[in-house]
Amino acid sequence: MSSSELPCSASAYTLGNAQPPESSLPASVERAQTIERTNRTKVLWLSFTGFTLSFAAWLMFGVLGIPIQAEFQFSDVSLAWLSAIAILNGAIWRLPFGMLADRLGGKRTFIGLLLFASVSSFLVATSQSYGQLMFFAFLVGLGGNSFSVGSAWNAAWFPPKQQGFAMGLFGAGNVGASVTKLIGPALIALVPAAGVLSGWIPGGWRFVPFLYGGLLLLMAIAMAVIAPATDKKPGAGRSLKAMLAPLKDLRVWRFSLYYTVVFGVYVAMSAWLPKYFVSVYNLPLAKAALLTTPFIFTSSLLRPFGGWLSDRFGPRRVTYGVFIVGSLISLLLFMPMDVTWFTICVTLLGITQGFGKASTVKYVPEYYPKDVGVVVGLVGSLAALGGFAMPPLFAYLKEWTGQPQSMFWVVFGLTVISLIWLHCVVLRIRRQEQQTI
């Protein structure tokens, strides 16, 4: 295999980095290792919880959009743009926020994002027009950039052989997309539209962003208090040019396409599926939201297992399987089917995305161990931009064709293109290996 295709971290397993058993280490070294493991655990669970809350607020318009649409009386296309505008702002800043996490540390950067998202979520609850909704939704979307921050933060703290699982568990915070779908309809019905405490706490759909604002604020405080006081900053002291150097590699842009298939499509479907269930199967909002949750849960909670598989078998094999199975399932979804089979198929698609999100991100620290924030920032940014573009595209395709399942034409096309590109890379690697024998 050529040096250009070998991951940088491969050397970590081949250059004799063996250490003596812990029992033979001095007490001070054992104590330092224990503190290090404790700090890693704190970083992992704080980042996971913060990302889960940020993701919940970022994608809350998938459920809230329906009662908002009823109140403000706008079209399905306008509803799609409301969801998309939040996704947009959670995409365009991932690269600079990943760089900030590498240079300033994940702790400070994450806390700043949580505070901004908290204020923005409170503002969503005060909206009185479609224009205000669009502006405040754009602001609250900034919290979506926490993915590149948390990925860089965990990569800095965990050794290579544990990064797949750690970054997979952190990324399982995608499950936040299901939070609004599980609790949103009940909260909207439970809290009176006039609010409580003389209107200080808003009611109806406005209560949900108000609640998220408070939870995000509490999370920022918890992170400031609990996270390790001394952070790891792999990008500290490096020039901007040096940090951006990996972006010249075609490989980085290939990873971005892969991640669009498994994450960008996930984001778009999380936002669009409740509307799909309501409009195609004439389901009430609460049931539509409930039927969306298996897709979100499988795509999110299987991510740590996908990371473990990538640690064990390598990300390339896992990604290969993801694209093959994903293309077959999305092809099945071209056909009209009853609600039961549709729910099963999108849940199976969610399983492939859960594995694929972990395997794609696992590539990054293997090839770019010193530039995780930058590379994950670009990869995540382009994938989230795909998630931004797809809901309006789904709406327009439905208008043009009259077929709601036309959204899966997009999913199938992206998956097949990624599979072909990956297969071409594998063939090239095999040719290079044969030439060196």
Side-chain angles (χ1 to χ4, degrees), residues 150-187:
S151 295
W153 197 17
N154 279 282
W157 278 91
F158 282 86
K161 65 181 180 180
Q162 297 176 0
Q163 285 173 341
F165 176 78
M167 295 172 75
L169 180 55
F170 159 72
N174 287 161
V175 76
S178 68
V179 173
T180 310
K181 293 169 178 61
L182 285 173
I183 69 172
L187 291 175

mmCIF file of all heavy atoms in Angstrom, residues 150-187:
data_model
loop_
_atom_site.group_PDB
_atom_site.id
_atom_site.type_symbol
_atom_site.label_atom_id
_atom_site.label_comp_id
_atom_site.label_asym_id
_atom_site.label_seq_id
_atom_site.Cartn_x
_atom_site.Cartn_y
_atom_site.Cartn_z
ATOM 1 N N GLY A 150 -16.833 19.050 19.378
ATOM 2 C CA GLY A 150 -16.765 17.851 20.211
ATOM 3 C C GLY A 150 -15.895 16.764 19.612
ATOM 4 O O GLY A 150 -15.203 16.041 20.340
ATOM 5 N N SER A 151 -15.916 16.631 18.289
ATOM 6 C CA SER A 151 -15.068 15.626 17.639
ATOM 7 C C SER A 151 -13.592 15.935 17.869
ATOM 8 O O SER A 151 -12.792 15.047 18.214
ATOM 9 C CB SER A 151 -15.362 15.575 16.136
ATOM 10 O OG SER A 151 -16.671 15.125 15.887
ATOM 11 N N ALA A 152 -13.217 17.197 17.679
ATOM 12 C CA ALA A 152 -11.829 17.594 17.896
ATOM 13 C C ALA A 152 -11.438 17.438 19.366
ATOM 14 O O ALA A 152 -10.312 17.011 19.690
ATOM 15 C CB ALA A 152 -11.634 19.044 17.450
ATOM 16 N N TRP A 153 -12.352 17.767 20.258
ATOM 17 C CA TRP A 153 -12.093 17.688 21.695
ATOM 18 C C TRP A 153 -11.837 16.242 22.104
ATOM 19 O O TRP A 153 -10.873 15.937 22.825
ATOM 20 C CB TRP A 153 -13.287 18.267 22.451
ATOM 21 C CG TRP A 153 -13.039 18.636 23.880
ATOM 22 C CD1 TRP A 153 -11.829 18.807 24.478
ATOM 23 C CD2 TRP A 153 -14.018 18.895 24.882
ATOM 24 N NE1 TRP A 153 -11.992 19.169 25.799
ATOM 25 C CE2 TRP A 153 -13.334 19.227 26.067
ATOM 26 C CE3 TRP A 153 -15.416 18.888 24.892
ATOM 27 C CZ2 TRP A 153 -13.993 19.543 27.254
ATOM 28 C CZ3 TRP A 153 -16.076 19.214 26.070
ATOM 29 C CH2 TRP A 153 -15.378 19.533 27.232
ATOM 30 N N ASN A 154 -12.676 15.306 21.658
ATOM 31 C CA ASN A 154 -12.495 13.894 22.017
ATOM 32 C C ASN A 154 -11.265 13.295 21.354
ATOM 33 O O ASN A 154 -10.547 12.504 21.971
ATOM 34 C CB ASN A 154 -13.748 13.104 21.628
ATOM 35 C CG ASN A 154 -14.866 13.241 22.647
ATOM 36 O OD1 ASN A 154 -14.844 12.602 23.690
ATOM 37 N ND2 ASN A 154 -15.831 14.084 22.351
ATOM 38 N N ALA A 155 -11.002 13.670 20.104
ATOM 39 C CA ALA A 155 -9.809 13.156 19.424
ATOM 40 C C ALA A 155 -8.538 13.596 20.137
ATOM 41 O O ALA A 155 -7.540 12.867 20.162
ATOM 42 C CB ALA A 155 -9.792 13.615 17.973
ATOM 43 N N ALA A 156 -8.557 14.798 20.720
ATOM 44 C CA ALA A 156 -7.386 15.301 21.427
ATOM 45 C C ALA A 156 -7.135 14.537 22.723
ATOM 46 O O ALA A 156 -5.982 14.390 23.149
ATOM 47 C CB ALA A 156 -7.564 16.791 21.728
ATOM 48 N N TRP A 157 -8.198 14.034 23.343
ATOM 49 C CA TRP A 157 -8.053 13.383 24.640
ATOM 50 C C TRP A 157 -7.861 11.869 24.560
ATOM 51 O O TRP A 157 -7.291 11.272 25.472
ATOM 52 C CB TRP A 157 -9.275 13.700 25.514
ATOM 53 C CG TRP A 157 -9.175 15.031 26.199
ATOM 54 C CD1 TRP A 157 -9.628 16.234 25.742
ATOM 55 C CD2 TRP A 157 -8.554 15.296 27.457
ATOM 56 N NE1 TRP A 157 -9.331 17.235 26.626
ATOM 57 C CE2 TRP A 157 -8.675 16.691 27.705
ATOM 58 C CE3 TRP A 157 -7.912 14.512 28.405
ATOM 59 C CZ2 TRP A 157 -8.178 17.293 28.850
ATOM 60 C CZ3 TRP A 157 -7.419 15.105 29.562
ATOM 61 C CH2 TRP A 157 -7.553 16.488 29.762
ATOM 62 N N PHE A 158 -8.350 11.223 23.486
ATOM 63 C CA PHE A 158 -8.316 9.759 23.431
ATOM 64 C C PHE A 158 -7.194 9.259 22.529
ATOM 65 O O PHE A 158 -6.895 9.872 21.501
ATOM 66 C CB PHE A 158 -9.660 9.216 22.940
ATOM 67 C CG PHE A 158 -10.726 9.208 24.001
ATOM 68 C CD1 PHE A 158 -11.490 10.336 24.233
ATOM 69 C CD2 PHE A 158 -10.948 8.078 24.774
ATOM 70 C CE1 PHE A 158 -12.465 10.354 25.222
ATOM 71 C CE2 PHE A 158 -11.914 8.076 25.762
ATOM 72 C CZ PHE A 158 -12.683 9.212 25.990
ATOM 73 N N PRO A 159 -6.570 8.118 22.891
ATOM 74 C CA PRO A 159 -5.515 7.532 22.042
ATOM 75 C C PRO A 159 -6.134 6.938 20.771
ATOM 76 O O PRO A 159 -7.336 6.646 20.728
ATOM 77 C CB PRO A 159 -4.916 6.439 22.933
ATOM 78 C CG PRO A 159 -6.013 6.071 23.889
ATOM 79 C CD PRO A 159 -6.783 7.331 24.124
ATOM 80 N N PRO A 160 -5.334 6.727 19.718
ATOM 81 C CA PRO A 160 -5.874 6.265 18.430
ATOM 82 C C PRO A 160 -6.729 5.009 18.507
ATOM 83 O O PRO A 160 -7.758 4.919 17.853
ATOM 84 C CB PRO A 160 -4.608 6.031 17.598
ATOM 85 C CG PRO A 160 -3.614 6.989 18.154
ATOM 86 C CD PRO A 160 -3.890 7.036 19.634
ATOM 87 N N LYS A 161 -6.321 4.038 19.320
ATOM 88 C CA LYS A 161 -7.055 2.766 19.341
ATOM 89 C C LYS A 161 -8.429 2.893 19.998
ATOM 90 O O LYS A 161 -9.252 1.972 19.892
ATOM 91 C CB LYS A 161 -6.239 1.689 20.061
ATOM 92 C CG LYS A 161 -5.998 1.951 21.539
ATOM 93 C CD LYS A 161 -5.155 0.837 22.153
ATOM 94 C CE LYS A 161 -4.912 1.094 23.642
ATOM 95 N NZ LYS A 161 -4.084 0.017 24.257
ATOM 96 N N GLN A 162 -8.706 4.019 20.662
ATOM 97 C CA GLN A 162 -10.005 4.235 21.295
ATOM 98 C C GLN A 162 -10.816 5.341 20.614
ATOM 99 O O GLN A 162 -11.951 5.602 21.012
ATOM 100 C CB GLN A 162 -9.814 4.597 22.781
ATOM 101 C CG GLN A 162 -9.164 3.501 23.606
ATOM 102 C CD GLN A 162 -8.906 3.942 25.043
ATOM 103 O OE1 GLN A 162 -9.208 5.073 25.427
ATOM 104 N NE2 GLN A 162 -8.345 3.055 25.841
ATOM 105 N N GLN A 163 -10.242 5.982 19.614
ATOM 106 C CA GLN A 163 -10.909 7.143 19.033
ATOM 107 C C GLN A 163 -12.188 6.787 18.286
ATOM 108 O O GLN A 163 -13.155 7.555 18.310
ATOM 109 C CB GLN A 163 -9.945 7.878 18.091
ATOM 110 C CG GLN A 163 -8.897 8.687 18.829
ATOM 111 C CD GLN A 163 -7.853 9.277 17.898
ATOM 112 O OE1 GLN A 163 -7.685 8.820 16.766
ATOM 113 N NE2 GLN A 163 -7.153 10.292 18.358
ATOM 114 N N GLY A 164 -12.212 5.636 17.625
ATOM 115 C CA GLY A 164 -13.415 5.255 16.892
ATOM 116 C C GLY A 164 -14.614 5.140 17.811
ATOM 117 O O GLY A 164 -15.674 5.709 17.546
ATOM 118 N N PHE A 165 -14.436 4.421 18.924
ATOM 119 C CA PHE A 165 -15.541 4.259 19.860
ATOM 120 C C PHE A 165 -15.899 5.587 20.536
ATOM 121 O O PHE A 165 -17.079 5.933 20.654
ATOM 122 C CB PHE A 165 -15.195 3.218 20.923
ATOM 123 C CG PHE A 165 -16.257 3.073 21.980
ATOM 124 C CD1 PHE A 165 -17.411 2.351 21.706
ATOM 125 C CD2 PHE A 165 -16.117 3.668 23.220
ATOM 126 C CE1 PHE A 165 -18.407 2.228 22.669
ATOM 127 C CE2 PHE A 165 -17.108 3.555 24.190
ATOM 128 C CZ PHE A 165 -18.253 2.828 23.916
ATOM 129 N N ALA A 166 -14.873 6.327 20.985
ATOM 130 C CA ALA A 166 -15.130 7.586 21.697
ATOM 131 C C ALA A 166 -15.856 8.592 20.811
ATOM 132 O O ALA A 166 -16.853 9.205 21.223
ATOM 133 C CB ALA A 166 -13.818 8.181 22.214
ATOM 134 N N MET A 167 -15.378 8.756 19.586
ATOM 135 C CA MET A 167 -16.016 9.710 18.688
ATOM 136 C C MET A 167 -17.379 9.198 18.224
ATOM 137 O O MET A 167 -18.288 9.985 17.941
ATOM 138 C CB MET A 167 -15.097 9.991 17.498
ATOM 139 C CG MET A 167 -13.803 10.692 17.919
ATOM 140 S SD MET A 167 -12.585 10.840 16.597
ATOM 141 C CE MET A 167 -13.311 12.144 15.616
ATOM 142 N N GLY A 168 -17.532 7.862 18.181
ATOM 143 C CA GLY A 168 -18.840 7.308 17.868
ATOM 144 C C GLY A 168 -19.843 7.553 18.974
ATOM 145 O O GLY A 168 -20.993 7.907 18.718
ATOM 146 N N LEU A 169 -19.399 7.376 20.230
ATOM 147 C CA LEU A 169 -20.294 7.627 21.361
ATOM 148 C C LEU A 169 -20.651 9.105 21.441
ATOM 149 O O LEU A 169 -21.817 9.466 21.657
ATOM 150 C CB LEU A 169 -19.640 7.164 22.665
ATOM 151 C CG LEU A 169 -20.468 7.364 23.936
ATOM 152 C CD1 LEU A 169 -21.835 6.691 23.804
ATOM 153 C CD2 LEU A 169 -19.730 6.826 25.158
ATOM 154 N N PHE A 170 -19.672 9.976 21.266
ATOM 155 C CA PHE A 170 -19.980 11.409 21.235
ATOM 156 C C PHE A 170 -20.987 11.714 20.130
ATOM 157 O O PHE A 170 -21.982 12.406 20.336
ATOM 158 C CB PHE A 170 -18.701 12.221 21.002
ATOM 159 C CG PHE A 170 -18.973 13.593 20.460
ATOM 160 C CD1 PHE A 170 -19.525 14.588 21.256
ATOM 161 C CD2 PHE A 170 -18.712 13.894 19.124
ATOM 162 C CE1 PHE A 170 -19.808 15.844 20.740
ATOM 163 C CE2 PHE A 170 -18.981 15.141 18.599
ATOM 164 C CZ PHE A 170 -19.536 16.125 19.416
ATOM 165 N N GLY A 171 -20.732 11.173 18.942
ATOM 166 C CA GLY A 171 -21.611 11.447 17.814
ATOM 167 C C GLY A 171 -23.001 10.886 17.983
ATOM 168 O O GLY A 171 -23.937 11.317 17.291
ATOM 169 N N ALA A 172 -23.186 9.926 18.919
ATOM 170 C CA ALA A 172 -24.522 9.409 19.191
ATOM 171 C C ALA A 172 -25.434 10.488 19.755
ATOM 172 O O ALA A 172 -26.644 10.283 19.870
ATOM 173 C CB ALA A 172 -24.444 8.224 20.154
ATOM 174 N N GLY A 173 -24.856 11.649 20.070
ATOM 175 C CA GLY A 173 -25.675 12.800 20.455
ATOM 176 C C GLY A 173 -26.641 13.219 19.361
ATOM 177 O O GLY A 173 -27.558 14.012 19.602
ATOM 178 N N ASN A 174 -26.443 12.658 18.142
ATOM 179 C CA ASN A 174 -27.446 12.848 17.088
ATOM 180 C C ASN A 174 -28.839 12.461 17.556
ATOM 181 O O ASN A 174 -29.837 12.904 16.981
ATOM 182 C CB ASN A 174 -27.113 11.988 15.863
ATOM 183 C CG ASN A 174 -25.928 12.504 15.076
ATOM 184 O OD1 ASN A 174 -25.334 11.765 14.304
ATOM 185 N ND2 ASN A 174 -25.555 13.764 15.240
ATOM 186 N N VAL A 175 -28.896 11.619 18.594
ATOM 187 C CA VAL A 175 -30.197 11.183 19.104
ATOM 188 C C VAL A 175 -31.015 12.372 19.609
ATOM 189 O O VAL A 175 -32.235 12.269 19.782
ATOM 190 C CB VAL A 175 -29.998 10.132 20.229
ATOM 191 C CG1 VAL A 175 -29.551 10.800 21.534
ATOM 192 C CG2 VAL A 175 -31.265 9.317 20.436
ATOM 193 N N GLY A 176 -30.349 13.503 19.802
ATOM 194 C CA GLY A 176 -31.075 14.708 20.189
ATOM 195 C C GLY A 176 -32.177 15.075 19.212
ATOM 196 O O GLY A 176 -33.168 15.720 19.586
ATOM 197 N N ALA A 177 -32.016 14.646 17.953
ATOM 198 C CA ALA A 177 -33.057 14.929 16.958
ATOM 199 C C ALA A 177 -34.378 14.285 17.335
ATOM 200 O O ALA A 177 -35.442 14.758 16.903
ATOM 201 C CB ALA A 177 -32.608 14.434 15.583
ATOM 202 N N SER A 178 -34.335 13.212 18.138
ATOM 203 C CA SER A 178 -35.573 12.530 18.519
ATOM 204 C C SER A 178 -36.204 13.140 19.761
ATOM 205 O O SER A 178 -37.368 12.843 20.063
ATOM 206 C CB SER A 178 -35.302 11.050 18.777
ATOM 207 O OG SER A 178 -34.507 10.894 19.953
ATOM 208 N N VAL A 179 -35.451 13.973 20.488
ATOM 209 C CA VAL A 179 -35.979 14.514 21.741
ATOM 210 C C VAL A 179 -37.248 15.312 21.488
ATOM 211 O O VAL A 179 -38.286 15.103 22.142
ATOM 212 C CB VAL A 179 -34.917 15.369 22.457
ATOM 213 C CG1 VAL A 179 -35.528 16.066 23.670
ATOM 214 C CG2 VAL A 179 -33.729 14.516 22.867
ATOM 215 N N THR A 180 -37.204 16.243 20.537
ATOM 216 C CA THR A 180 -38.381 17.050 20.244
ATOM 217 C C THR A 180 -39.516 16.179 19.721
ATOM 218 O O THR A 180 -40.693 16.434 20.008
ATOM 219 C CB THR A 180 -38.050 18.142 19.210
ATOM 220 O OG1 THR A 180 -36.874 18.833 19.626
ATOM 221 C CG2 THR A 180 -39.192 19.135 19.089
ATOM 222 N N LYS A 181 -39.166 15.156 18.959
ATOM 223 C CA LYS A 181 -40.205 14.295 18.398
ATOM 224 C C LYS A 181 -40.884 13.470 19.480
ATOM 225 O O LYS A 181 -42.070 13.133 19.366
ATOM 226 C CB LYS A 181 -39.601 13.408 17.310
ATOM 227 C CG LYS A 181 -39.165 14.221 16.096
ATOM 228 C CD LYS A 181 -38.338 13.443 15.122
ATOM 229 C CE LYS A 181 -37.971 14.304 13.917
ATOM 230 N NZ LYS A 181 -37.182 15.494 14.250
ATOM 231 N N LEU A 182 -40.168 13.147 20.559
ATOM 232 C CA LEU A 182 -40.749 12.380 21.650
ATOM 233 C C LEU A 182 -41.540 13.258 22.613
ATOM 234 O O LEU A 182 -42.654 12.911 23.006
ATOM 235 C CB LEU A 182 -39.643 11.640 22.412
ATOM 236 C CG LEU A 182 -39.047 10.408 21.725
ATOM 237 C CD1 LEU A 182 -37.864 9.890 22.518
ATOM 238 C CD2 LEU A 182 -40.107 9.319 21.590
ATOM 239 N N ILE A 183 -40.948 14.397 22.999
ATOM 240 C CA ILE A 183 -41.587 15.214 24.038
ATOM 241 C C ILE A 183 -42.325 16.418 23.490
ATOM 242 O O ILE A 183 -43.199 16.966 24.167
ATOM 243 C CB ILE A 183 -40.549 15.689 25.080
ATOM 244 C CG1 ILE A 183 -39.588 16.716 24.469
ATOM 245 C CG2 ILE A 183 -39.787 14.515 25.666
ATOM 246 C CD1 ILE A 183 -38.669 17.374 25.484
ATOM 247 N N GLY A 184 -41.983 16.846 22.251
ATOM 248 C CA GLY A 184 -42.563 18.069 21.714
ATOM 249 C C GLY A 184 -44.074 18.068 21.641
ATOM 250 O O GLY A 184 -44.729 18.971 22.208
ATOM 251 N N PRO A 185 -44.701 17.084 20.960
ATOM 252 C CA PRO A 185 -46.167 17.102 20.867
ATOM 253 C C PRO A 185 -46.858 17.097 22.227
ATOM 254 O O PRO A 185 -47.861 17.789 22.429
ATOM 255 C CB PRO A 185 -46.471 15.822 20.075
ATOM 256 C CG PRO A 185 -45.247 15.586 19.259
ATOM 257 C CD PRO A 185 -44.104 16.021 20.138
ATOM 258 N N ALA A 186 -46.303 16.317 23.188
ATOM 259 C CA ALA A 186 -46.916 16.266 24.519
ATOM 260 C C ALA A 186 -46.786 17.608 25.229
ATOM 261 O O ALA A 186 -47.745 18.085 25.866
ATOM 262 C CB ALA A 186 -46.267 15.158 25.344
ATOM 263 N N LEU A 187 -45.618 18.240 25.140
ATOM 264 C CA LEU A 187 -45.427 19.535 25.796
ATOM 265 C C LEU A 187 -46.310 20.617 25.171
ATOM 266 O O LEU A 187 -46.861 21.464 25.879
ATOM 267 C CB LEU A 187 -43.955 19.949 25.713
ATOM 268 C CG LEU A 187 -42.971 19.132 26.546
ATOM 269 C CD1 LEU A 187 -41.540 19.574 26.274
ATOM 270 C CD2 LEU A 187 -43.279 19.256 28.034
#
